[in-house]
Amino acid sequence: MRAQLLWRKTGRIAVLLAEHLNIDVEHALDILYNSHTYALFANPDSGLNLQSDEYILSDILQELNSSSS
């Protein structure tokens, strides 16, 4: 059950990221899966998976901005 919930949440976050960056969802998934934020999200001990989709999106965008600077 937990895996299915995380899978759905991952999909929602990928769609939000794609919309925000104006890219396709496959590219957004690639960015998401290769981010430090996703590593934290996938770790249940971090608690990040309990945050809202928008909160996690904000973390990913901050990570992208800091890596491009």
Short mmCIF file of all heavy atoms in Angstrom, two decimals:
data_model
loop_
_atom_site.label_atom_id
_atom_site.label_comp_id
_atom_site.label_asym_id
_atom_site.label_seq_id
_atom_site.Cartn_x
_atom_site.Cartn_y
_atom_site.Cartn_z
N MET A 1 0.83 -1.20 0.00
CA MET A 1 0.00 0.00 0.00
C MET A 1 0.87 1.26 0.00
O MET A 1 0.61 2.18 -0.75
CB MET A 1 -0.92 -0.03 1.22
CG MET A 1 -1.83 1.16 1.30
SD MET A 1 -2.96 1.24 -0.09
CE MET A 1 -4.45 1.53 0.73
N ARG A 2 1.90 1.28 0.86
CA ARG A 2 2.77 2.45 0.94
C ARG A 2 3.44 2.74 -0.40
O ARG A 2 3.52 3.88 -0.82
CB ARG A 2 3.82 2.24 2.04
CG ARG A 2 4.76 3.41 2.18
CD ARG A 2 5.88 3.09 3.18
NE ARG A 2 6.83 4.16 3.24
CZ ARG A 2 7.77 4.39 2.36
NH1 ARG A 2 7.89 3.63 1.30
NH2 ARG A 2 8.61 5.39 2.49
N ALA A 3 3.91 1.69 -1.06
CA ALA A 3 4.59 1.87 -2.34
C ALA A 3 3.65 2.48 -3.38
O ALA A 3 4.06 3.35 -4.16
CB ALA A 3 5.16 0.55 -2.84
N GLN A 4 2.41 2.04 -3.37
CA GLN A 4 1.43 2.57 -4.33
C GLN A 4 1.15 4.05 -4.06
O GLN A 4 1.04 4.86 -4.99
CB GLN A 4 0.16 1.77 -4.27
CG GLN A 4 -0.82 2.12 -5.37
CD GLN A 4 -2.06 1.26 -5.33
OE1 GLN A 4 -2.47 0.79 -4.28
NE2 GLN A 4 -2.66 1.06 -6.49
N LEU A 5 1.05 4.42 -2.80
CA LEU A 5 0.83 5.83 -2.45
C LEU A 5 2.00 6.70 -2.88
O LEU A 5 1.82 7.80 -3.41
CB LEU A 5 0.57 5.98 -0.95
CG LEU A 5 -0.73 5.38 -0.44
CD1 LEU A 5 -0.79 5.45 1.09
CD2 LEU A 5 -1.93 6.07 -1.05
N LEU A 6 3.23 6.22 -2.65
CA LEU A 6 4.41 6.99 -3.06
C LEU A 6 4.51 7.09 -4.57
O LEU A 6 4.91 8.12 -5.11
CB LEU A 6 5.68 6.36 -2.48
CG LEU A 6 5.87 6.52 -0.98
CD1 LEU A 6 7.14 5.81 -0.53
CD2 LEU A 6 5.92 7.99 -0.59
N TRP A 7 4.12 6.02 -5.26
CA TRP A 7 4.15 6.03 -6.72
C TRP A 7 3.20 7.10 -7.25
O TRP A 7 3.54 7.85 -8.16
CB TRP A 7 3.78 4.63 -7.21
CG TRP A 7 3.78 4.48 -8.69
CD1 TRP A 7 4.88 4.34 -9.50
CD2 TRP A 7 2.65 4.45 -9.55
NE1 TRP A 7 4.48 4.21 -10.81
CE2 TRP A 7 3.11 4.29 -10.86
CE3 TRP A 7 1.27 4.54 -9.32
CZ2 TRP A 7 2.26 4.21 -11.95
CZ3 TRP A 7 0.42 4.46 -10.41
CH2 TRP A 7 0.93 4.30 -11.71
N ARG A 8 1.99 7.16 -6.68
CA ARG A 8 1.02 8.16 -7.12
C ARG A 8 1.50 9.58 -6.79
O ARG A 8 1.36 10.50 -7.60
CB ARG A 8 -0.33 7.92 -6.46
CG ARG A 8 -1.03 6.71 -7.00
CD ARG A 8 -2.35 6.51 -6.31
NE ARG A 8 -3.00 5.30 -6.80
CZ ARG A 8 -4.12 4.85 -6.34
NH1 ARG A 8 -4.76 5.48 -5.37
NH2 ARG A 8 -4.64 3.75 -6.84
N LYS A 9 2.06 9.76 -5.61
CA LYS A 9 2.56 11.08 -5.21
C LYS A 9 3.71 11.49 -6.13
O LYS A 9 3.80 12.64 -6.54
CB LYS A 9 3.00 11.06 -3.75
CG LYS A 9 3.33 12.41 -3.17
CD LYS A 9 3.54 12.30 -1.67
CE LYS A 9 3.74 13.63 -1.02
NZ LYS A 9 2.49 14.32 -0.75
N THR A 10 4.57 10.56 -6.47
CA THR A 10 5.68 10.84 -7.39
C THR A 10 5.13 11.32 -8.73
O THR A 10 5.64 12.29 -9.30
CB THR A 10 6.55 9.59 -7.59
OG1 THR A 10 7.10 9.20 -6.32
CG2 THR A 10 7.68 9.84 -8.56
N GLY A 11 4.10 10.67 -9.22
CA GLY A 11 3.49 11.08 -10.49
C GLY A 11 2.91 12.48 -10.42
O GLY A 11 3.08 13.28 -11.35
N ARG A 12 2.24 12.79 -9.32
CA ARG A 12 1.66 14.14 -9.17
C ARG A 12 2.76 15.20 -9.12
O ARG A 12 2.63 16.26 -9.75
CB ARG A 12 0.80 14.22 -7.90
CG ARG A 12 -0.48 13.44 -7.97
CD ARG A 12 -1.42 13.79 -6.83
NE ARG A 12 -0.81 13.76 -5.52
CZ ARG A 12 -0.80 12.71 -4.69
NH1 ARG A 12 -1.37 11.59 -5.07
NH2 ARG A 12 -0.24 12.80 -3.49
N ILE A 13 3.83 14.90 -8.43
CA ILE A 13 4.94 15.86 -8.33
C ILE A 13 5.59 16.04 -9.70
O ILE A 13 5.94 17.15 -10.09
CB ILE A 13 5.96 15.40 -7.27
CG1 ILE A 13 5.32 15.45 -5.88
CG2 ILE A 13 7.21 16.28 -7.31
CD1 ILE A 13 6.11 14.73 -4.81
N ALA A 14 5.75 14.96 -10.44
CA ALA A 14 6.33 15.04 -11.79
C ALA A 14 5.47 15.91 -12.70
O ALA A 14 6.00 16.71 -13.48
CB ALA A 14 6.52 13.65 -12.38
N VAL A 15 4.17 15.77 -12.61
CA VAL A 15 3.27 16.58 -13.43
C VAL A 15 3.40 18.06 -13.04
O VAL A 15 3.48 18.94 -13.91
CB VAL A 15 1.80 16.10 -13.30
CG1 VAL A 15 0.84 17.10 -13.90
CG2 VAL A 15 1.64 14.74 -13.95
N LEU A 16 3.44 18.34 -11.75
CA LEU A 16 3.62 19.73 -11.29
C LEU A 16 4.95 20.31 -11.80
O LEU A 16 5.00 21.45 -12.26
CB LEU A 16 3.58 19.82 -9.76
CG LEU A 16 2.24 19.60 -9.10
CD1 LEU A 16 2.40 19.51 -7.58
CD2 LEU A 16 1.28 20.73 -9.46
N LEU A 17 6.00 19.51 -11.72
CA LEU A 17 7.32 19.95 -12.17
C LEU A 17 7.31 20.20 -13.68
O LEU A 17 7.84 21.22 -14.15
CB LEU A 17 8.38 18.91 -11.81
CG LEU A 17 9.82 19.23 -12.15
CD1 LEU A 17 10.29 20.49 -11.41
CD2 LEU A 17 10.73 18.05 -11.80
N ALA A 18 6.68 19.32 -14.43
CA ALA A 18 6.59 19.48 -15.89
C ALA A 18 5.84 20.75 -16.24
O ALA A 18 6.27 21.51 -17.13
CB ALA A 18 5.91 18.27 -16.51
N GLU A 19 4.75 21.00 -15.55
CA GLU A 19 3.96 22.21 -15.81
C GLU A 19 4.76 23.46 -15.45
O GLU A 19 4.74 24.45 -16.19
CB GLU A 19 2.66 22.18 -15.01
CG GLU A 19 1.67 21.15 -15.52
CD GLU A 19 0.47 20.98 -14.61
OE1 GLU A 19 0.44 21.56 -13.49
OE2 GLU A 19 -0.46 20.25 -15.01
N HIS A 20 5.46 23.41 -14.33
CA HIS A 20 6.22 24.58 -13.89
C HIS A 20 7.39 24.90 -14.84
O HIS A 20 7.66 26.07 -15.12
CB HIS A 20 6.75 24.36 -12.46
CG HIS A 20 7.39 25.57 -11.88
ND1 HIS A 20 6.65 26.60 -11.31
CD2 HIS A 20 8.68 25.95 -11.80
CE1 HIS A 20 7.47 27.54 -10.90
NE2 HIS A 20 8.71 27.17 -11.19
N LEU A 21 8.06 23.86 -15.32
CA LEU A 21 9.23 24.06 -16.19
C LEU A 21 8.87 24.04 -17.67
O LEU A 21 9.74 24.21 -18.51
CB LEU A 21 10.28 22.98 -15.90
CG LEU A 21 10.88 22.97 -14.50
CD1 LEU A 21 11.85 21.80 -14.35
CD2 LEU A 21 11.56 24.29 -14.17
N ASN A 22 7.59 23.76 -17.97
CA ASN A 22 7.12 23.68 -19.35
C ASN A 22 7.92 22.63 -20.14
O ASN A 22 8.45 22.91 -21.22
CB ASN A 22 7.16 25.05 -20.03
CG ASN A 22 6.31 25.09 -21.27
OD1 ASN A 22 5.32 24.38 -21.37
ND2 ASN A 22 6.69 25.92 -22.22
N ILE A 23 8.00 21.44 -19.56
CA ILE A 23 8.68 20.31 -20.19
C ILE A 23 7.72 19.12 -20.17
O ILE A 23 6.67 19.16 -19.53
CB ILE A 23 9.99 19.94 -19.45
CG1 ILE A 23 9.72 19.60 -17.97
CG2 ILE A 23 11.01 21.08 -19.57
CD1 ILE A 23 10.93 19.13 -17.19
N ASP A 24 8.10 18.03 -20.87
CA ASP A 24 7.23 16.86 -20.84
C ASP A 24 7.43 16.09 -19.53
O ASP A 24 8.44 16.25 -18.84
CB ASP A 24 7.45 15.96 -22.06
CG ASP A 24 8.86 15.44 -22.18
OD1 ASP A 24 9.32 14.76 -21.25
OD2 ASP A 24 9.50 15.70 -23.22
N VAL A 25 6.46 15.27 -19.20
CA VAL A 25 6.47 14.57 -17.91
C VAL A 25 7.64 13.59 -17.81
O VAL A 25 8.21 13.43 -16.73
CB VAL A 25 5.12 13.85 -17.68
CG1 VAL A 25 5.15 13.03 -16.40
CG2 VAL A 25 3.98 14.86 -17.63
N GLU A 26 8.02 12.98 -18.91
CA GLU A 26 9.14 12.04 -18.89
C GLU A 26 10.43 12.76 -18.48
O GLU A 26 11.21 12.22 -17.68
CB GLU A 26 9.32 11.36 -20.24
CG GLU A 26 8.21 10.39 -20.58
CD GLU A 26 6.96 11.06 -21.15
OE1 GLU A 26 6.99 12.29 -21.46
OE2 GLU A 26 5.94 10.38 -21.26
N HIS A 27 10.64 13.94 -19.00
CA HIS A 27 11.82 14.73 -18.63
C HIS A 27 11.73 15.15 -17.16
O HIS A 27 12.73 15.11 -16.43
CB HIS A 27 11.95 15.94 -19.55
CG HIS A 27 13.23 16.69 -19.37
ND1 HIS A 27 13.40 17.97 -19.84
CD2 HIS A 27 14.40 16.39 -18.76
CE1 HIS A 27 14.59 18.40 -19.52
NE2 HIS A 27 15.22 17.46 -18.86
N ALA A 28 10.54 15.51 -16.73
CA ALA A 28 10.34 15.90 -15.32
C ALA A 28 10.63 14.71 -14.40
O ALA A 28 11.26 14.88 -13.34
CB ALA A 28 8.93 16.41 -15.11
N LEU A 29 10.21 13.52 -14.80
CA LEU A 29 10.52 12.33 -13.99
C LEU A 29 12.01 12.08 -13.91
O LEU A 29 12.53 11.72 -12.85
CB LEU A 29 9.82 11.09 -14.58
CG LEU A 29 8.39 10.87 -14.17
CD1 LEU A 29 7.76 9.77 -15.02
CD2 LEU A 29 8.27 10.55 -12.70
N ASP A 30 12.71 12.28 -15.01
CA ASP A 30 14.16 12.12 -15.01
C ASP A 30 14.81 13.09 -14.03
O ASP A 30 15.69 12.71 -13.25
CB ASP A 30 14.70 12.33 -16.43
CG ASP A 30 16.18 12.04 -16.54
OD1 ASP A 30 16.62 10.95 -16.08
OD2 ASP A 30 16.91 12.89 -17.06
N ILE A 31 14.39 14.35 -14.07
CA ILE A 31 14.92 15.35 -13.14
C ILE A 31 14.60 14.95 -11.71
O ILE A 31 15.47 14.98 -10.83
CB ILE A 31 14.34 16.74 -13.46
CG1 ILE A 31 14.87 17.24 -14.80
CG2 ILE A 31 14.65 17.74 -12.34
CD1 ILE A 31 14.16 18.49 -15.32
N LEU A 32 13.36 14.56 -11.48
CA LEU A 32 12.92 14.18 -10.15
C LEU A 32 13.72 13.01 -9.61
O LEU A 32 14.27 13.06 -8.50
CB LEU A 32 11.43 13.86 -10.17
CG LEU A 32 10.80 13.37 -8.87
CD1 LEU A 32 10.94 14.41 -7.77
CD2 LEU A 32 9.33 13.04 -9.10
N TYR A 33 13.81 11.92 -10.38
CA TYR A 33 14.49 10.71 -9.91
C TYR A 33 15.98 10.93 -9.66
O TYR A 33 16.58 10.21 -8.86
CB TYR A 33 14.32 9.57 -10.91
CG TYR A 33 12.95 8.94 -10.90
CD1 TYR A 33 12.37 8.49 -12.08
CD2 TYR A 33 12.23 8.78 -9.73
CE1 TYR A 33 11.12 7.89 -12.09
CE2 TYR A 33 10.97 8.19 -9.72
CZ TYR A 33 10.43 7.75 -10.90
OH TYR A 33 9.20 7.16 -10.91
N ASN A 34 16.58 11.91 -10.31
CA ASN A 34 18.01 12.17 -10.15
C ASN A 34 18.30 13.28 -9.16
O ASN A 34 19.44 13.74 -9.07
CB ASN A 34 18.64 12.47 -11.51
CG ASN A 34 18.70 11.23 -12.36
OD1 ASN A 34 19.36 10.26 -12.01
ND2 ASN A 34 17.98 11.23 -13.47
N SER A 35 17.30 13.71 -8.43
CA SER A 35 17.50 14.80 -7.48
C SER A 35 17.78 14.29 -6.07
O SER A 35 17.39 13.19 -5.69
CB SER A 35 16.26 15.70 -7.44
OG SER A 35 15.17 15.01 -6.84
N HIS A 36 18.47 15.13 -5.31
CA HIS A 36 18.70 14.84 -3.89
C HIS A 36 17.37 14.84 -3.15
O HIS A 36 17.17 14.04 -2.22
CB HIS A 36 19.67 15.88 -3.31
CG HIS A 36 19.90 15.72 -1.84
ND1 HIS A 36 20.59 14.67 -1.31
CD2 HIS A 36 19.48 16.48 -0.80
CE1 HIS A 36 20.60 14.78 0.01
NE2 HIS A 36 19.94 15.87 0.34
N THR A 37 16.48 15.70 -3.55
CA THR A 37 15.17 15.78 -2.92
C THR A 37 14.43 14.46 -3.04
O THR A 37 13.82 13.99 -2.07
CB THR A 37 14.33 16.91 -3.56
OG1 THR A 37 15.03 18.15 -3.40
CG2 THR A 37 12.96 17.02 -2.92
N TYR A 38 14.52 13.81 -4.19
CA TYR A 38 13.84 12.52 -4.35
C TYR A 38 14.47 11.46 -3.47
O TYR A 38 13.76 10.60 -2.93
CB TYR A 38 13.84 12.06 -5.81
CG TYR A 38 13.04 10.80 -5.97
CD1 TYR A 38 11.65 10.85 -6.01
CD2 TYR A 38 13.64 9.55 -6.06
CE1 TYR A 38 10.89 9.69 -6.12
CE2 TYR A 38 12.90 8.39 -6.17
CZ TYR A 38 11.53 8.47 -6.20
OH TYR A 38 10.79 7.33 -6.30
N ALA A 39 15.78 11.51 -3.30
CA ALA A 39 16.43 10.55 -2.39
C ALA A 39 15.87 10.69 -0.98
O ALA A 39 15.62 9.69 -0.30
CB ALA A 39 17.94 10.75 -2.41
N LEU A 40 15.66 11.92 -0.56
CA LEU A 40 15.06 12.15 0.75
C LEU A 40 13.60 11.70 0.76
O LEU A 40 13.13 11.09 1.73
CB LEU A 40 15.15 13.62 1.14
CG LEU A 40 16.54 14.16 1.45
CD1 LEU A 40 16.49 15.67 1.64
CD2 LEU A 40 17.11 13.48 2.68
N PHE A 41 12.88 12.02 -0.29
CA PHE A 41 11.46 11.65 -0.42
C PHE A 41 11.28 10.14 -0.33
O PHE A 41 10.35 9.64 0.31
CB PHE A 41 10.93 12.19 -1.74
CG PHE A 41 9.55 11.71 -2.10
CD1 PHE A 41 8.43 12.25 -1.47
CD2 PHE A 41 9.36 10.74 -3.06
CE1 PHE A 41 7.15 11.81 -1.81
CE2 PHE A 41 8.09 10.31 -3.40
CZ PHE A 41 6.98 10.84 -2.76
N ALA A 42 12.17 9.39 -0.97
CA ALA A 42 12.07 7.94 -1.00
C ALA A 42 12.46 7.29 0.33
O ALA A 42 12.16 6.13 0.56
CB ALA A 42 12.94 7.38 -2.13
N ASN A 43 13.12 8.05 1.19
CA ASN A 43 13.53 7.54 2.50
C ASN A 43 12.44 7.87 3.52
O ASN A 43 12.25 9.02 3.87
CB ASN A 43 14.85 8.18 2.92
CG ASN A 43 15.32 7.74 4.29
OD1 ASN A 43 14.64 6.99 4.97
ND2 ASN A 43 16.48 8.21 4.68
N PRO A 44 11.72 6.86 4.01
CA PRO A 44 10.62 7.14 4.94
C PRO A 44 11.07 7.80 6.24
O PRO A 44 10.28 8.48 6.89
CB PRO A 44 9.99 5.77 5.19
CG PRO A 44 10.98 4.77 4.74
CD PRO A 44 11.88 5.45 3.74
N ASP A 45 12.32 7.63 6.60
CA ASP A 45 12.83 8.23 7.83
C ASP A 45 12.96 9.74 7.73
O ASP A 45 13.00 10.43 8.75
CB ASP A 45 14.19 7.63 8.22
CG ASP A 45 14.06 6.15 8.59
OD1 ASP A 45 12.97 5.73 9.05
OD2 ASP A 45 15.05 5.42 8.41
N SER A 46 13.03 10.28 6.52
CA SER A 46 13.20 11.73 6.35
C SER A 46 11.91 12.49 6.65
O SER A 46 11.95 13.66 7.01
CB SER A 46 13.68 12.06 4.94
OG SER A 46 12.61 11.93 4.01
N GLY A 47 10.78 11.85 6.44
CA GLY A 47 9.50 12.50 6.65
C GLY A 47 9.07 13.40 5.49
O GLY A 47 7.97 13.95 5.52
N LEU A 48 9.92 13.55 4.48
CA LEU A 48 9.57 14.42 3.35
C LEU A 48 8.34 13.91 2.61
O LEU A 48 7.55 14.71 2.12
CB LEU A 48 10.76 14.56 2.40
CG LEU A 48 10.60 15.56 1.26
CD1 LEU A 48 10.35 16.97 1.79
CD2 LEU A 48 11.82 15.55 0.35
N ASN A 49 8.16 12.61 2.59
CA ASN A 49 7.01 12.05 1.88
C ASN A 49 5.68 12.43 2.54
O ASN A 49 4.63 12.26 1.94
CB ASN A 49 7.13 10.54 1.76
CG ASN A 49 7.29 9.85 3.10
OD1 ASN A 49 7.39 10.50 4.14
ND2 ASN A 49 7.34 8.55 3.09
N LEU A 50 5.73 12.97 3.73
CA LEU A 50 4.51 13.41 4.42
C LEU A 50 4.13 14.85 4.07
O LEU A 50 3.05 15.30 4.42
CB LEU A 50 4.69 13.28 5.93
CG LEU A 50 5.02 11.88 6.44
CD1 LEU A 50 5.30 11.92 7.94
CD2 LEU A 50 3.92 10.90 6.11
N GLN A 51 5.03 15.56 3.41
CA GLN A 51 4.78 16.95 3.04
C GLN A 51 3.89 17.01 1.79
O GLN A 51 3.74 16.04 1.06
CB GLN A 51 6.10 17.68 2.79
CG GLN A 51 7.03 17.72 3.98
CD GLN A 51 6.42 18.42 5.17
OE1 GLN A 51 5.71 19.41 5.03
NE2 GLN A 51 6.69 17.91 6.36
N SER A 52 3.36 18.19 1.55
CA SER A 52 2.48 18.37 0.38
C SER A 52 3.29 18.28 -0.92
O SER A 52 4.51 18.48 -0.93
CB SER A 52 1.77 19.72 0.45
OG SER A 52 2.69 20.77 0.22
N ASP A 53 2.58 18.00 -1.99
CA ASP A 53 3.21 17.95 -3.32
C ASP A 53 3.89 19.28 -3.64
O ASP A 53 5.01 19.31 -4.16
CB ASP A 53 2.18 17.64 -4.40
CG ASP A 53 1.50 16.29 -4.20
OD1 ASP A 53 1.94 15.50 -3.34
OD2 ASP A 53 0.53 16.03 -4.93
N GLU A 54 3.23 20.37 -3.31
CA GLU A 54 3.76 21.71 -3.60
C GLU A 54 5.03 21.99 -2.79
O GLU A 54 5.96 22.63 -3.28
CB GLU A 54 2.71 22.78 -3.34
CG GLU A 54 1.55 22.75 -4.32
CD GLU A 54 0.52 21.67 -4.02
OE1 GLU A 54 0.57 21.06 -2.91
OE2 GLU A 54 -0.32 21.41 -4.90
N TYR A 55 5.07 21.52 -1.56
CA TYR A 55 6.25 21.70 -0.71
C TYR A 55 7.44 20.97 -1.33
O TYR A 55 8.54 21.51 -1.41
CB TYR A 55 5.96 21.18 0.70
CG TYR A 55 7.10 21.35 1.67
CD1 TYR A 55 7.18 22.48 2.47
CD2 TYR A 55 8.10 20.39 1.78
CE1 TYR A 55 8.22 22.64 3.37
CE2 TYR A 55 9.15 20.54 2.67
CZ TYR A 55 9.20 21.66 3.46
OH TYR A 55 10.25 21.82 4.35
N ILE A 56 7.22 19.74 -1.75
CA ILE A 56 8.28 18.94 -2.36
C ILE A 56 8.72 19.57 -3.69
O ILE A 56 9.92 19.64 -3.99
CB ILE A 56 7.83 17.48 -2.53
CG1 ILE A 56 7.56 16.88 -1.14
CG2 ILE A 56 8.87 16.66 -3.28
CD1 ILE A 56 6.84 15.55 -1.17
N LEU A 57 7.76 20.05 -4.47
CA LEU A 57 8.08 20.75 -5.71
C LEU A 57 8.98 21.94 -5.42
O LEU A 57 9.97 22.16 -6.12
CB LEU A 57 6.82 21.20 -6.43
CG LEU A 57 7.03 22.08 -7.67
CD1 LEU A 57 7.73 21.31 -8.77
CD2 LEU A 57 5.71 22.65 -8.15
N SER A 58 8.66 22.69 -4.39
CA SER A 58 9.47 23.85 -4.01
C SER A 58 10.90 23.43 -3.69
O SER A 58 11.86 24.09 -4.10
CB SER A 58 8.83 24.55 -2.82
OG SER A 58 9.65 25.59 -2.35
N ASP A 59 11.06 22.33 -2.98
CA ASP A 59 12.40 21.83 -2.67
C ASP A 59 13.17 21.46 -3.94
O ASP A 59 14.36 21.76 -4.07
CB ASP A 59 12.33 20.61 -1.75
CG ASP A 59 12.13 20.95 -0.30
OD1 ASP A 59 12.04 22.15 0.04
OD2 ASP A 59 12.08 20.01 0.52
N ILE A 60 12.49 20.80 -4.86
CA ILE A 60 13.15 20.41 -6.12
C ILE A 60 13.57 21.65 -6.91
O ILE A 60 14.68 21.71 -7.45
CB ILE A 60 12.22 19.52 -6.96
CG1 ILE A 60 11.97 18.20 -6.24
CG2 ILE A 60 12.80 19.27 -8.35
CD1 ILE A 60 10.84 17.39 -6.82
N LEU A 61 12.69 22.64 -6.98
CA LEU A 61 13.02 23.86 -7.71
C LEU A 61 14.18 24.60 -7.06
O LEU A 61 15.06 25.13 -7.77
CB LEU A 61 11.79 24.76 -7.80
CG LEU A 61 10.64 24.20 -8.65
CD1 LEU A 61 9.41 25.09 -8.52
CD2 LEU A 61 11.06 24.04 -10.10
N GLN A 62 14.22 24.63 -5.74
CA GLN A 62 15.37 25.24 -5.04
C GLN A 62 16.65 24.48 -5.37
O GLN A 62 17.70 25.09 -5.60
CB GLN A 62 15.16 25.24 -3.53
CG GLN A 62 14.25 26.33 -3.04
CD GLN A 62 14.14 26.31 -1.53
OE1 GLN A 62 14.28 25.29 -0.87
NE2 GLN A 62 13.87 27.47 -0.97
N GLU A 63 16.57 23.17 -5.38
CA GLU A 63 17.73 22.35 -5.72
C GLU A 63 18.20 22.63 -7.15
O GLU A 63 19.40 22.78 -7.39
CB GLU A 63 17.38 20.87 -5.56
CG GLU A 63 18.51 19.95 -5.82
CD GLU A 63 18.13 18.48 -5.62
OE1 GLU A 63 17.12 18.18 -4.94
OE2 GLU A 63 18.87 17.62 -6.17
N LEU A 64 17.27 22.73 -8.08
CA LEU A 64 17.63 23.04 -9.47
C LEU A 64 18.26 24.43 -9.58
O LEU A 64 19.23 24.60 -10.33
CB LEU A 64 16.40 22.95 -10.37
CG LEU A 64 15.84 21.56 -10.63
CD1 LEU A 64 14.54 21.64 -11.39
CD2 LEU A 64 16.85 20.70 -11.35
N ASN A 65 17.71 25.39 -8.88
CA ASN A 65 18.25 26.75 -8.92
C ASN A 65 19.64 26.82 -8.32
O ASN A 65 20.51 27.51 -8.85
CB ASN A 65 17.32 27.74 -8.21
CG ASN A 65 16.09 28.05 -9.01
OD1 ASN A 65 16.10 27.94 -10.23
ND2 ASN A 65 15.03 28.44 -8.34
N SER A 66 19.87 26.10 -7.24
CA SER A 66 21.18 26.15 -6.62
C SER A 66 22.23 25.40 -7.43
O SER A 66 23.41 25.76 -7.42
CB SER A 66 21.13 25.60 -5.18
OG SER A 66 20.86 24.23 -5.18
N SER A 67 21.82 24.36 -8.16
CA SER A 67 22.77 23.63 -8.98
C SER A 67 23.12 24.36 -10.28
O SER A 67 24.16 24.13 -10.87
CB SER A 67 22.26 22.23 -9.30
OG SER A 67 21.14 22.29 -10.16
N SER A 68 22.24 25.26 -10.72
CA SER A 68 22.51 26.02 -11.95
C SER A 68 23.30 27.30 -11.67
O SER A 68 23.73 27.95 -12.59
CB SER A 68 21.21 26.34 -12.67
OG SER A 68 20.43 27.25 -11.92
N SER A 69 23.45 27.64 -10.42
CA SER A 69 24.19 28.87 -10.06
C SER A 69 25.66 28.63 -9.97
O SER A 69 26.18 27.63 -9.77
CB SER A 69 23.71 29.39 -8.71
OG SER A 69 22.34 29.70 -8.77
#
